Amino acid sequence: MLGTLGLCVLFPTSVRALPSRRTCVFFEAPGVRGSTKTLGKLLDAGPGPPRVIRCLYSRCCFGIWNLTQDRAQAEMQGCRDSDEPDCESPHCDLSPRAHPSPRSTLFTCSCGTDFCNANYSHLPPPGSPGTPGSQGRPTVPGESIWMALVLLGLFLFLLLGSSILALLQRKSCRVQGGSAPEPEPEPESGRDWSAELPELPELCFSQVIWEGGHTVVWAGQLQGKLVAIKAFSRRAVAQFQAERALYELPGLQHDHVVRFITASRGGPGPLPCGPLLVLELHPKGSLCHYLTQHTSDWGSSMRMALSLAQGLAFLHEERWQDGQYKPPIAHRDLSSQNVLIREDGSCAIGDLGLALVLPGLSQPPTWAPTQPRGPAAIMEAGTQRYMAPELLDKTLDLQDWGMALRQADVYSLALLLWEILSRCPDLWPDSRPPPFQLAYEAELGSTPSTCELWTLAVEERRRPCVPPSWHGFTTDPGGLRELLEDCWDADPEARLTAACVQQRLAALAYPQEARPFPESCAQGSPPLCPEDCLSGPPHGHPPL
């Protein structure tokens, strides 16, 4: 047995990491002491083992197998803490390391390609040194177990020790009090990233409201006003610079896009300082959090939906205003976690970490640094639940990638509109909407794998269910269903633009003011809803 894990099914190419990061299989057998999960960021690739980890400190994967006469069993798989000469191998070539018992041997490998530690390429031939059954000095009972534990412990110690040592050697600085030492130039940035970033002694960190692999978002205060502070690790300087460049584009001010305040450097208390983005804070939280806690009547739901479409249409639009040029922008990570609720109940689109400036008719050359570098960068997207079928399937149109990324955003927008409408009591019998669920959660659960999403959205072309009770609610009986179907169509070119979505939503929200749609925004004829959707009579709605 060669330990085959079926990685071609579990981890298709759409899960793979950025070109600059190695992606490995992650597994730790029960009872194994120590963990290497801190050497990378665990990715959501399925509910059970094996999992996927994106390496933070190296481009090298490792694996440890326990080989007996009957079978080989994986003990540990994950990321190395540094690149060593044996990491240059593209395959997992096993080498014997220890004897846990007279009839078993621990083998290890290091390799330098994505998922190369999923399987080992071959076993040493029977009778070779180190394998079970080979001739040699008889093993003293207990000695081999002790040696195996010592060697395994030494391996883990070396793996973790070097990363801990590196962290301890970094200089730290504080936001408040005293003069901060200059941080070391970041390898990813190629220069001293802190040179142009001021410290803000009046910036106060209150509490963590979100934490990711390379960023932590804090609630805080600046000059007595509540703000959100997005703190980047010192290894994510390139990500900080790209997001800052987008927020600082001229003309990027809109009621339904999170407002950028300033960039800075620092950190809470004794933690190492890093680059910071200070942004507008919306205390009501994310759209996902809000919909989990609240229902919204027809007027409030339309306010959220329409403002969300307005924000996306603004990002996608190329415009000159007051002598300032705003290029078109694709968000690429629209999700209900990345949309915030304003005090008036409308939406503001946030997190431009993966956003891209798109080619425009009037685009000045100064935007060139924010352009993607090759097809892999264009294909990169955010939360896989909201990825358009062409991103899951790797069939995005690279010839006209600017339009293709807009179309992918509109697909994500449709899923968010469905989530908003699913919590509107006026659309449900007896005014009792079901508990909030994310798009596709009813079909695939809370942690769908990329393979499951591909099967559902690409192969089967299924979408979240639109119950019949939604159909006759508005003055246009099929308006809601047709709008959603025209946004999440399997054919990207058949989808509406964000501007058309805005017009269609305005017509549903204010039918007395509706005007004829432009030909490009005309309604289509989507397929019928599946029979298993919840049915019920249309329900009246209060005036807006």
Side-chain angles (χ1 to χ4, degrees):
M1 170 182 158
L2 294 182
T4 303
L5 300 177
L7 268 294
C8 60
V9 176
L10 279 174
F11 308 118
T13 55
S14 55
V15 184
R16 293 188 182 179
L18 295 171
S20 60
R21 296 294 185 199
R22 176 69 61 233
T23 307
C24 309
V25 171
F26 179 82
F27 173 74
E28 292 176 347
V32 172
R33 291 191 174 187
S35 176
T36 61
K37 67 174 60 177
T38 58
L39 299 180
K41 177 184 178 183
L42 287 175
L43 304 181
D44 184 13
R51 298 183 68 183
V52 178
I53 188 168
R54 181 176 294 168
C55 302
L56 296 177
Y57 309 107
S58 76
R59 293 180 54 78
C60 186
C61 306
F62 81 91
I64 303 177
W65 275 268
N66 188 359
L67 174 66
T68 66
Q69 291 182 340
D70 299 323
R71 63 192 179 97
Q73 180 176 348
E75 296 289 334
M76 294 185 72
Q77 293 157 296
C79 294
R80 289 281 299 268
D81 66 323
S82 61
D83 294 321
E84 302 294 341
D86 56 350
C87 295
E88 298 176 359
S89 173
H91 308 294
C92 177
D93 299 321
L94 294 180
S95 299
R97 286 292 182 267
H99 297 277
S101 71
R103 294 182 177 271
S104 66
T105 304
L106 284 180
F107 288 83
T108 67
C109 77
S110 296
C111 50
T113 56
D114 287 344
F115 304 118
C116 60
N117 64 333
N119 311 306
Y120 47 80
S121 57
H122 67 277
L123 290 175
S128 60
T131 59
S134 61
Q135 299 298 319
R137 178 178 64 87
T139 306
V140 178
E143 178 185 359
S144 59
I145 298 177
W146 179 85
M147 290 177 60
L149 293 176
V150 170
L151 289 173
L152 184 58
L154 180 61
F155 179 80
L156 292 176
F157 176 80
L158 293 175
L159 203 61
L160 296 174
S162 58
S163 61
I164 294 173
L165 182 61
L167 291 174
L168 291 176
Q169 289 175 340
R170 291 179 182 271
K171 297 179 181 179
S172 63
C173 60
R174 298 173 181 267
V175 174
Q176 298 181 355
S179 59
E182 274 309 302
E184 297 173 2
E186 290 298 317
E188 291 187 17
S189 65
R191 59 188 177 88
D192 188 351
W193 56 267
S194 66
E196 57 187 35
L197 294 177
E199 286 189 89
L200 300 174
E202 64 273 27
L203 183 65
C204 299
F205 294 74
S206 300
Q207 65 181 37
V208 174
I209 56 179
W210 184 86
E211 187 169 359
H214 293 290
T215 57
V216 179
V217 180
W218 293 74
Q221 289 191 16
L222 179 63
Q223 298 178 342
K225 296 182 179 180
L226 294 176
V227 294
I229 308 165
K230 188 170 184 178
F232 294 77
S233 73
R234 293 158 61 92
R235 291 182 172 272
V237 172
Q239 179 183 342
F240 159 78
Q241 291 171 333
E243 189 166 354
R244 177 191 180 187
L246 279 157
Y247 274 119
E248 291 184 338
L249 287 174
L252 194 68
Q253 291 84 37
H254 192 272
D255 285 344
H256 304 301
V257 176
V258 170
R259 185 170 64 91
F260 169 76
I261 298 175
T262 189
S264 177
R265 61 185 172 97
L271 296 181
C273 72
L276 309 172
L277 292 177
V278 183
L279 306 165
E280 183 180 25
L281 177 67
H282 298 289
K284 288 190 175 183
S286 68
L287 176 63
C288 175
H289 173 78
Y290 186 84
L291 294 176
T292 301
Q293 303 292 326
H294 304 88
T295 59
S296 300
D297 61 21
W298 174 252
S300 300
S301 297
M302 284 294 100
R303 184 179 299 110
M304 285 190 285
L306 185 56
S307 61
L308 181 56
Q310 288 170 337
L312 185 62
F314 169 77
L315 287 177
H316 286 184
E317 182 184 16
E318 178 184 25
R319 61 162 61 182
W320 282 92
Q321 184 172 355
D322 300 328
Q324 291 185 322
Y325 172 76
K326 187 203 81 68
I329 298 169
H331 189 279
R332 300 205 302 164
D333 194 14
L334 273 182
S335 72
S336 47
Q337 288 285 359
N338 291 338
V339 173
L340 303 178
I341 301 299
R342 293 160 48 94
E343 287 292 344
D344 63 359
S346 63
C347 293
I349 297 174
D351 197 344
L352 300 184
L354 287 177
L356 278 182
V357 171
L358 305 178
L361 297 177
S362 310
Q363 185 171 336
T366 52
W367 311 136
T370 64
Q371 297 303 308
R373 298 178 181 178
I378 296 174
M379 288 287 189
E380 180 194 353
T383 311
Q384 62 182 16
R385 180 188 297 275
Y386 300 91
M387 284 185 187
E390 60 270 23
L391 288 170
L392 292 170
D393 204 27
K394 298 296 183 184
T395 57
L396 189 87
D397 181 9
L398 296 177
Q399 296 299 316
D400 188 4
W401 59 270
M403 180 57 68
L405 291 179
R406 290 184 182 93
Q407 293 162 347
D409 274 353
V410 170
Y411 172 90
S412 304
L413 172 65
L415 298 184
L416 297 186
L417 296 178
W418 179 90
E419 290 181 1
I420 292 171
L421 295 170
S422 72
R423 293 291 282 163
C424 178
D426 298 324
L427 293 177
W428 295 89
D430 302 323
S431 299
R432 298 180 62 183
F436 175 70
Q437 287 187 310
L438 299 168
Y440 298 124
E441 187 172 355
E443 296 84 358
L444 299 177
S446 58
T447 55
S449 67
T450 306
C451 183
E452 291 172 329
L453 283 166
W454 181 89
T455 300
L456 185 81
V458 179
E459 186 176 41
E460 299 176 3
R461 295 194 172 195
R462 294 171 59 190
R463 299 292 184 267
C465 180
V466 180
S469 59
W470 295 13
H471 300 347
F473 176 74
T474 63
T475 54
D476 180 358
L480 286 178
R481 183 192 63 187
E482 291 175 351
L483 172 62
L484 294 175
E485 291 287 349
D486 289 346
C487 291
W488 62 36
D489 197 291
D491 179 5
E493 294 185 359
R495 294 176 200 152
L496 300 175
T497 64
C500 285
V501 177
Q502 178 182 336
Q503 292 184 27
R504 295 267 286 267
L505 283 169
L508 290 171
Y510 308 101
Q512 68 278 8
E513 302 176 11
R515 299 177 180 178
F517 294 119
E519 185 177 349
S520 60
C521 299
Q523 293 167 298
S525 300
L528 296 176
C529 182
E531 296 180 358
D532 58 348
C533 292
L534 182 65
S535 61
H539 197 76
H541 65 86
L544 292 177

